[in-house]
Amino acid sequence: MSEVLKPNEILDQNDPGDDTLLRYRYQTTCAVIAALQMFNNDLSIDELFCEQFEDYLIKDDKQFIGTQVKTRNLNDPPFSLKDTTVQKMIERFTGLELSFPNQFSKYTIVSNHGFSKKQSDSLQRVIELAVKGQSEEILKKRSTTNKLVQTIIKRLKCTDDDVIRTISKINLRGSFASLEGIKQKLVFALREIDFISKTSPTLSSLEKLSDVLVAKFFEMSSLGNKEEGLCELFISKKKADANLIDSKRIDKKELKAIVESYLTDPITLTVNIPESIGDIRSTNDKLELKMDKGGIDFHNVGLHKDYKYSAQTYLLSLLYKHGSEESDALYNQVRLIVQTECQESYDENFKGEGGFGTEMLKDVRKRIRERIREEKDKFRGLSYEHVLGIASILTEECTVWWSEKFDLT
């Protein structure tokens, strides 16, 4: 009799979710690698924008470089001029060229796969012809290239010169890295940067740093889709749009600050028996009983239930972004800080019989604000409300009390 497998013991071959996330991570990691070029003194890269017209947009001195990242199964044929994907990219690049005259110095296509070398449908050959100004060869009747150019002319209402000029600016970076090897390429890129290499980082720390940067760029990329209205100005006059664009942007100073913060401020507080974010209880029963026993009014109890939910949601997002090792380490560090402040406040406000929860709550709030202000780096982006939410989590776990301890059964 054959063994019956359980649904958690075999991969779902019909679910494309894992593959989609892997490809999107590839794109995001390529953006991080491109941004690291800001530390190359031979280049003049100022800023990088995620999902701004293209997968990422590089500001190089006074012009821009638009980059598309395309992935493909290596068992499939390499990209060629006959591919709809390639044709759409050329059309999109031409649209940018028309919308923003003299703004783009280059357009780049990055891929894990290669590009066809067959003369009849080689994109590289067409680029070389465009660079040399051999438009008559590109526009040869009944050729694949002429058909493509005429299609773009019809759709964008432009000239063949517009399309050929755009093609001449395209740069191909085929076989950039495998889907599985892109993280290692980022780790190597980090190791080559002077101010990073001087800290003598371990391979493990570089791998974790790469995850931090990819998560940051993923967040930037998730703030909005590519703008479809190419006739709009690149920098919007609307304040809300300008703020959104700025949130997709990173410059050399900010990128360096993120890297240095990670390298110079590791998790320093550890506990004997660590807790896991995944084990946080969703209930509030004990929290309500204990805060009520301490004399804390129902408005504040309700507020702390919301704090707990907000903290749990945020911590789970960290778990998904950074993995359990890094996110749990941060969680345990902040737990220890909060537990320390709550215990000290408990000891100072303890009155034996009778509630002292209100006085203790005021004191805990004051203590938490001061710790965040004085040691902001230890909280790694957790807000005041999130930290109070951890106090609520500790209350539900019976680690923190707001009155004399009592039997909850």
Side-chain angles (χ1 to χ4, degrees), residues 265-280:
D265 184 43
I267 300 298
T268 56
L269 300 177
T270 57
V271 295
N272 185 37
I273 304 177
E275 299 289 340
S276 173
I277 292 171
D279 293 334
I280 296 174

mmCIF file of all heavy atoms in Angstrom, residues 265-280:
data_model
loop_
_atom_site.group_PDB
_atom_site.id
_atom_site.type_symbol
_atom_site.label_atom_id
_atom_site.label_comp_id
_atom_site.label_asym_id
_atom_site.label_seq_id
_atom_site.Cartn_x
_atom_site.Cartn_y
_atom_site.Cartn_z
ATOM 1 N N ASP A 265 24.594 48.990 14.282
ATOM 2 C CA ASP A 265 23.632 48.860 15.373
ATOM 3 C C ASP A 265 22.923 47.511 15.310
ATOM 4 O O ASP A 265 21.729 47.437 15.043
ATOM 5 C CB ASP A 265 22.605 49.998 15.327
ATOM 6 C CG ASP A 265 21.650 49.930 16.511
ATOM 7 O OD1 ASP A 265 22.126 49.678 17.630
ATOM 8 O OD2 ASP A 265 20.443 50.102 16.303
ATOM 9 N N PRO A 266 23.666 46.435 15.568
ATOM 10 C CA PRO A 266 23.024 45.120 15.561
ATOM 11 C C PRO A 266 22.143 44.942 16.786
ATOM 12 O O PRO A 266 22.162 45.764 17.692
ATOM 13 C CB PRO A 266 24.220 44.154 15.602
ATOM 14 C CG PRO A 266 25.267 44.938 16.348
ATOM 15 C CD PRO A 266 25.075 46.372 15.928
ATOM 16 N N ILE A 267 21.370 43.878 16.818
ATOM 17 C CA ILE A 267 20.569 43.559 17.998
ATOM 18 C C ILE A 267 21.518 43.254 19.159
ATOM 19 O O ILE A 267 22.372 42.375 19.064
ATOM 20 C CB ILE A 267 19.659 42.350 17.722
ATOM 21 C CG1 ILE A 267 18.705 42.656 16.566
ATOM 22 C CG2 ILE A 267 18.888 41.968 18.965
ATOM 23 C CD1 ILE A 267 17.760 43.811 16.821
ATOM 24 N N THR A 268 21.411 44.004 20.243
ATOM 25 C CA THR A 268 22.352 43.860 21.362
ATOM 26 C C THR A 268 21.724 43.227 22.594
ATOM 27 O O THR A 268 22.440 42.776 23.487
ATOM 28 C CB THR A 268 22.921 45.239 21.756
ATOM 29 O OG1 THR A 268 21.827 46.125 22.069
ATOM 30 C CG2 THR A 268 23.723 45.837 20.617
ATOM 31 N N LEU A 269 20.394 43.224 22.682
ATOM 32 C CA LEU A 269 19.723 42.655 23.850
ATOM 33 C C LEU A 269 19.121 41.306 23.483
ATOM 34 O O LEU A 269 18.334 41.196 22.543
ATOM 35 C CB LEU A 269 18.620 43.604 24.346
ATOM 36 C CG LEU A 269 19.070 45.000 24.785
ATOM 37 C CD1 LEU A 269 17.866 45.839 25.186
ATOM 38 C CD2 LEU A 269 20.058 44.902 25.938
ATOM 39 N N THR A 270 19.528 40.288 24.206
ATOM 40 C CA THR A 270 19.007 38.949 23.962
ATOM 41 C C THR A 270 18.436 38.378 25.261
ATOM 42 O O THR A 270 18.742 38.871 26.349
ATOM 43 C CB THR A 270 20.110 38.009 23.442
ATOM 44 O OG1 THR A 270 21.196 37.989 24.387
ATOM 45 C CG2 THR A 270 20.641 38.492 22.099
ATOM 46 N N VAL A 271 17.619 37.361 25.123
ATOM 47 C CA VAL A 271 16.995 36.755 26.301
ATOM 48 C C VAL A 271 17.337 35.280 26.362
ATOM 49 O O VAL A 271 17.709 34.663 25.356
ATOM 50 C CB VAL A 271 15.460 36.949 26.272
ATOM 51 C CG1 VAL A 271 15.102 38.418 26.370
ATOM 52 C CG2 VAL A 271 14.859 36.340 25.013
ATOM 53 N N ASN A 272 17.204 34.716 27.551
ATOM 54 C CA ASN A 272 17.555 33.318 27.767
ATOM 55 C C ASN A 272 16.630 32.379 27.007
ATOM 56 O O ASN A 272 17.060 31.417 26.365
ATOM 57 C CB ASN A 272 17.512 32.998 29.263
ATOM 58 C CG ASN A 272 17.981 31.584 29.567
ATOM 59 O OD1 ASN A 272 18.902 31.092 28.929
ATOM 60 N ND2 ASN A 272 17.356 30.951 30.540
ATOM 61 N N ILE A 273 15.325 32.657 27.080
ATOM 62 C CA ILE A 273 14.334 31.853 26.363
ATOM 63 C C ILE A 273 13.577 32.785 25.408
ATOM 64 O O ILE A 273 12.629 33.458 25.813
ATOM 65 C CB ILE A 273 13.348 31.162 27.331
ATOM 66 C CG1 ILE A 273 14.114 30.318 28.348
ATOM 67 C CG2 ILE A 273 12.351 30.314 26.553
ATOM 68 C CD1 ILE A 273 13.235 29.671 29.390
ATOM 69 N N PRO A 274 14.011 32.888 24.149
ATOM 70 C CA PRO A 274 13.390 33.820 23.210
ATOM 71 C C PRO A 274 11.963 33.433 22.842
ATOM 72 O O PRO A 274 11.605 32.260 22.850
ATOM 73 C CB PRO A 274 14.314 33.759 21.995
ATOM 74 C CG PRO A 274 14.946 32.416 22.068
ATOM 75 C CD PRO A 274 15.115 32.127 23.532
ATOM 76 N N GLU A 275 11.176 34.455 22.534
ATOM 77 C CA GLU A 275 9.806 34.256 22.076
ATOM 78 C C GLU A 275 9.752 34.452 20.569
ATOM 79 O O GLU A 275 10.617 35.104 19.979
ATOM 80 C CB GLU A 275 8.866 35.243 22.771
ATOM 81 C CG GLU A 275 8.815 35.104 24.284
ATOM 82 C CD GLU A 275 8.099 33.847 24.733
ATOM 83 O OE1 GLU A 275 7.327 33.297 23.913
ATOM 84 O OE2 GLU A 275 8.318 33.414 25.876
ATOM 85 N N SER A 276 8.716 33.910 19.950
ATOM 86 C CA SER A 276 8.553 34.034 18.505
ATOM 87 C C SER A 276 7.332 34.879 18.171
ATOM 88 O O SER A 276 6.290 34.780 18.830
ATOM 89 C CB SER A 276 8.408 32.649 17.868
ATOM 90 O OG SER A 276 8.089 32.763 16.485
ATOM 91 N N ILE A 277 7.469 35.703 17.152
ATOM 92 C CA ILE A 277 6.347 36.529 16.697
ATOM 93 C C ILE A 277 5.149 35.657 16.323
ATOM 94 O O ILE A 277 3.999 36.002 16.581
ATOM 95 C CB ILE A 277 6.781 37.388 15.491
ATOM 96 C CG1 ILE A 277 7.804 38.453 15.933
ATOM 97 C CG2 ILE A 277 5.578 38.061 14.829
ATOM 98 C CD1 ILE A 277 8.446 39.194 14.786
ATOM 99 N N GLY A 278 5.437 34.505 15.746
ATOM 100 C CA GLY A 278 4.367 33.613 15.318
ATOM 101 C C GLY A 278 3.550 33.028 16.455
ATOM 102 O O GLY A 278 2.463 32.499 16.228
ATOM 103 N N ASP A 279 4.060 33.150 17.694
ATOM 104 C CA ASP A 279 3.354 32.585 18.842
ATOM 105 C C ASP A 279 2.541 33.616 19.628
ATOM 106 O O ASP A 279 2.001 33.299 20.686
ATOM 107 C CB ASP A 279 4.362 31.916 19.796
ATOM 108 C CG ASP A 279 5.009 30.690 19.176
ATOM 109 O OD1 ASP A 279 4.386 30.083 18.291
ATOM 110 O OD2 ASP A 279 6.147 30.355 19.559
ATOM 111 N N ILE A 280 2.466 34.836 19.130
ATOM 112 C CA ILE A 280 1.697 35.873 19.828
ATOM 113 C C ILE A 280 0.222 35.479 19.861
ATOM 114 O O ILE A 280 -0.365 35.129 18.832
ATOM 115 C CB ILE A 280 1.856 37.247 19.140
ATOM 116 C CG1 ILE A 280 3.312 37.712 19.210
ATOM 117 C CG2 ILE A 280 0.950 38.294 19.801
ATOM 118 C CD1 ILE A 280 3.577 38.988 18.426
#
